[in-house]
Amino acid sequence: MKISPIIKGVVAKNAHPAGCAAAVKQQIDFVKHAPQVAQNRQRVLILGASSGFGLASRIALTFGGAKSDTIGVSFEKGPSEKGTGTAGWYNNIAFKQYAASEGHIAINIVGDAFSQETRNAVNQAIDTYFGGQVDLLIYSLATGIRPKPNSEEWWRSSIKTVETPFSGLTADLEHDRLIETHVTAASEQEIDDTVKVMGGEDWQQWVSLLLAKGQCAHQFQTLAYSYIGPELTYPIYHHGTLGLAKQHLHRTANTINEQLTPLNGSAYIAVCKALVTKASVFIPAFSPYLLALFKVMKAKGLHEGCIEQMHRLFYHKFQPNSLVPLSDDSRLIRLDDWELQEEVQQEVRALYRKITPLNFQEISDYEGVKRDFLALNGFAIDGVDYGV
Ligand code: NAI
């Protein structure tokens, strides 16, 4: 059956199974041909494993030298009479097939990572497939809602500013246009709820659960992913609700790190580069920055996608055979170092100021951003026959 992309605003409504598999294969091929990670990370649990940074971590660790076995948790939908299902569904299937064909364990658990049911399924999978312990936990969930425990209610995140409202342009990927958006300031409640959803509480609960079950191996390590960005985006990100949630996540890394001392374990945050993922295109008034950043970083030969970032994390930010990464004083591993170089940011600021709804297709990298967005859902992938 021929499948064409259906986009509503910035949300993809369908996915192309063969295209998703091809995109996973491209990432596998990239890490196979890149310098190989020397550190063996045998048993890895990834929360948020089906797309973006979580999937790229899984691929980098399995096929990039560490030869990891993985349990991946994600929240995805399979095909039904209502539609094709989500890209992550097909990414999971493709990843498992490629991993199994090379002898790696790859268990997919599809369910709500916040639920007790999913936690039980993970505990059971660790016992069944990993001999009862995990060496590395990667926390890469990106979601707008988190269920309140023992309740029918939810915390909902709000992507808003704090105190001062902000106006800016947002890409409408459905109609290929930039539209003016006004981002209002969050209430105290909205800030608290966003911290509940995207802060560190759930990460710490996962680590506490694994510790309580005796499922953290000696020298157990955990990593979570974050974004800071340049001053240009502070109003909408770093100083906004998402930034406050991320700051909570960063503080949680220190708490977890202390919790892991008896195991000689550690917790770090990898601060990544701004990229096109299902989660990031959703941030209002962020698009002009992304469009300018892609243009500048590509022209300078510094552009990376999720897989290049995750390969750099495990290959360059960890010394060979060491679990101690190159990090700053706050336990942050700066994968945004290239993005934040002053010469990059100078050019980004200059281009950012010139972007308008009339010229953005000519002067920015809208084409690249749109192609990446389509690729997330298995479309616009080289070598895939979309005619059938
Ligand atoms: P993504 O949307 O590509 O992936 C999110 C993953 O979380 C998917 O596997 C999804 O299935 C899973 N997920 C969501 N809700 C779930 C639930 N309730 N239960 C189980 N699984 C669930 O997101 P992306 O962009 O890879 O984000 C991952 C992390 O990286 C986030 O913490 C994000 O803030 C961070 N990050 C993202 C950047 C970007 O530009 N995309 C930049 C820097 C950091």
Side-chain angles (χ1 to χ4, degrees), residues 310-362:
M310 292 301 104
H311 177 264
R312 192 152 68 90
L313 171 62
F314 295 111
Y315 184 77
H316 288 280
K317 296 292 184 184
F318 286 89
Q319 302 296 315
N321 298 313
S322 165
L323 288 174
V324 183
L326 300 167
S327 69
D328 66 15
D329 295 344
S330 310
R331 320 189 60 72
L332 305 180
I333 306 168
R334 302 305 299 253
L335 284 166
D336 59 349
D337 43 2
W338 297 359
E339 169 178 355
L340 295 184
Q341 283 176 14
E342 184 44 31
E343 59 271 34
V344 169
Q345 286 301 319
Q346 246 173 28
E347 289 187 31
V348 169
R349 283 193 295 273
L351 180 54
Y352 178 94
R353 285 191 205 105
K354 289 185 194 147
I355 291 177
T356 71
L358 293 178
N359 67 13
F360 73 101
Q361 305 229 29
E362 287 82 54

Side-chain angles (χ1 to χ4, degrees), residues 48-54 73-76 111-114 140-143 198 225-227 237 246 272-275 277-280:
S50 60
S51 59
F53 286 109
V73 178
S74 59
F75 198 64
E76 302 294 344
D112 181 1
F114 298 110
S140 188
L141 297 181
T143 176
M198 287 299 286
Y225 298 142
S226 183
Y227 185 68
Y237 201 101
K246 290 301 189 191
C272 303
K273 166 183 190 277
L275 278 172
T277 67
K278 206 168 61 181
S280 66

Side-chain angles (χ1 to χ4, degrees), residues 231-258:
E231 276 180 35
L232 198 57
T233 62
Y234 276 6
I236 188 61
Y237 201 101
H238 188 52
H239 289 165
T241 50
L242 283 178
L244 291 181
K246 290 301 189 191
Q247 284 161 41
H248 184 272
L249 188 80
H250 299 182
R251 290 195 297 278
T252 307
N254 293 325
T255 317
I256 296 177
N257 198 61
E258 279 172 27

Side-chain angles (χ1 to χ4, degrees), residues 43 127 154 181 220 333:
R43 300 159 299 181
D127 283 342
W154 303 76
T181 17
F220 170 85
I333 306 168

Side-chain angles (χ1 to χ4, degrees), residues 120-182:
N120 293 344
V122 168
N123 292 141
Q124 207 172 357
I126 293 170
D127 283 342
T128 309
Y129 301 101
F130 281 2
Q133 289 197 319
V134 174
D135 300 298
L136 172 64
L137 164 67
I138 290 180
Y139 191 86
S140 188
L141 297 181
T143 176
I145 52 172
R146 173 182 170 198
K148 295 185 181 176
N150 309 316
S151 150
E152 300 285 293
E153 293 182 1
W154 303 76
W155 287 295
R156 287 175 196 282
S157 65
S158 306
I159 309 180
K160 292 193 173 183
T161 61
V162 171
E163 289 176 13
T164 316
F166 184 78
S167 291
L169 297 167
T170 304
D172 169 356
L173 296 161
E174 179 185 358
H175 300 105
D176 296 323
R177 59 183 181 176
L178 288 185
I179 48 177
E180 189 66 41
T181 17
H182 184 67

Side-chain angles (χ1 to χ4, degrees), residues 148 155-156 158 186-195:
K148 295 185 181 176
W155 287 295
R156 287 175 196 282
S158 306
S187 65
E188 286 298 319
Q189 188 65 54
E190 286 172 324
I191 293 171
D192 291 349
D193 287 0
T194 308
V195 172

Side-chain angles (χ1 to χ4, degrees), residues 5 25 31 42 45 54 81 100-101 166 198 245 251 300 313 330 332 363 385:
K25 180 71 170 42
V31 289
Q42 282 163 338
L45 169 61
E81 65 285 351
S101 73
F166 184 78
M198 287 299 286
R251 290 195 297 278
K300 290 185 172 301
L313 171 62
S330 310
L332 305 180
I363 69 168
D385 183 359

